[in-house]
Amino acid sequence: MFIGHYAPAFLASGTRQGPPLWLGAVATQAIDLAFFSFALMGIEHYRLIAGATASNWLDLYDMPYTHSLVGAACWGLALGLVTLAVWRNRAMAAIVAALVVSHWLLDLLVHRPDLTLAGRPPLLGLGLWNAPWLEKPLELAITFGSLAFYIRRTQAISRWALPALGLLIAELAVFQAIDWFGARTTRVEAGQQGLALFAYAMVILATALVGATRRIRA
Ligand SMILES: [Zn+2]
């Protein structure tokens, strides 16, 4: 699950109480932003093992602060409180907190058992990454289905709306294609973590452009 994580953000930001789209994108990937940052800093760890799952080689053996349910809830609470402080909107803050936790729930669908409730076993994960014939269409369907919902619920207010939307769709397609079909390695390198963080940043930028050129329909 990579671009599928944005689905709850597209749904939430298509509603009146929802956060700005860029904030939804930050919230739904907050846990991965933290994970790859922590991996860069040596706080959390992963290995790459050939054939770890049918979809990727990730062996995510140490991520107690980001990918435990308690950890996800703490990140959600933190981002929710920041949202409340800045926007002074309780409904929006609650939605942002829920979006952060949605990441863990979607990961639960696809990860092999490597997620935890509080940083130690039992290890949880339904393993859809091992059924790519099901996971890939499902991820595409929820991502672009929810984006279509967002588009229907909003209207363009700038002539840059279409180019911004095109950029977002292109980024989602390219980054997911790299994730699915890019060259595989068993070496863990800082470059991978940097590339992941770069991809998340580029999607946040594109969602900011889309959000700035559209508004909720009256
Ligand atoms: Zn994740």
Side-chain angles (χ1 to χ4, degrees):
M1 188 72 53
F2 174 28
I3 61 172
H5 282 299
Y6 295 110
F10 294 142
L11 295 179
S13 295
T15 66
R16 220 158 260 294
Q17 294 290 345
L21 189 57
W22 69 267
L23 181 55
V26 170
T28 50
Q29 294 286 21
I31 283 172
D32 272 6
L33 286 165
F35 170 68
F36 284 108
S37 303
F38 281 4
L40 263 180
M41 293 184 269
I43 298 169
E44 292 191 331
H45 304 88
Y46 65 96
R47 283 181 288 252
L48 294 167
I49 297 177
T53 77
S55 296
N56 59 60
W57 290 1
L58 287 167
D59 175 24
L60 300 159
Y61 68 97
D62 180 40
M63 40 180 200
Y65 307 114
T66 59
H67 284 72
S68 63
L69 184 56
V70 171
C74 290
W75 291 96
L77 185 65
L79 206 56
L81 287 173
V82 170
T83 303
L84 186 62
V86 175
W87 278 270
R88 310 225 161 256
N89 180 333
R90 277 186 206 188
M92 193 200 290
I95 290 170
V96 165
L99 288 177
V100 174
V101 177
S102 78
H103 181 107
W104 191 89
L105 294 172
L106 285 174
D107 272 357
L108 185 63
L109 279 184
V110 299
H111 280 219
R112 61 184 198 159
D114 55 26
L115 300 164
T116 61
L117 293 175
R120 63 182 91 82
L123 298 176
L124 308 171
L126 298 174
L128 274 192
W129 271 339
N130 281 322
W133 52 272
L134 177 59
E135 197 277 336
K136 284 183 165 72
L138 181 72
E139 182 154 14
L140 291 175
I142 66 170
T143 306
F144 291 104
S146 60
L147 179 57
F149 169 84
Y150 172 81
I151 298 304
R152 269 208 315 277
R153 294 292 304 251
T154 56
Q155 63 189 85
I157 53 169
S158 154
R159 64 198 171 94
W160 293 103
L162 205 55
L165 182 60
L167 175 68
L168 176 61
I169 291 172
E171 283 186 9
L172 293 174
V174 167
F175 292 140
Q176 188 63 68
I178 292 172
D179 183 41
W180 279 345
F181 309 117
R184 300 267 164 87
T185 174
T186 53
R187 265 208 315 270
V188 172
E189 291 163 343
Q192 296 152 1
Q193 300 138 32
L195 184 66
L197 291 171
F198 172 77
Y200 293 128
M202 292 304 290
V203 173
I204 290 166
L205 182 67
T207 53
L209 294 172
V210 169
T213 54
R214 309 186 70 83
R215 68 155 179 248
I216 297 279
R217 271 182 201 281

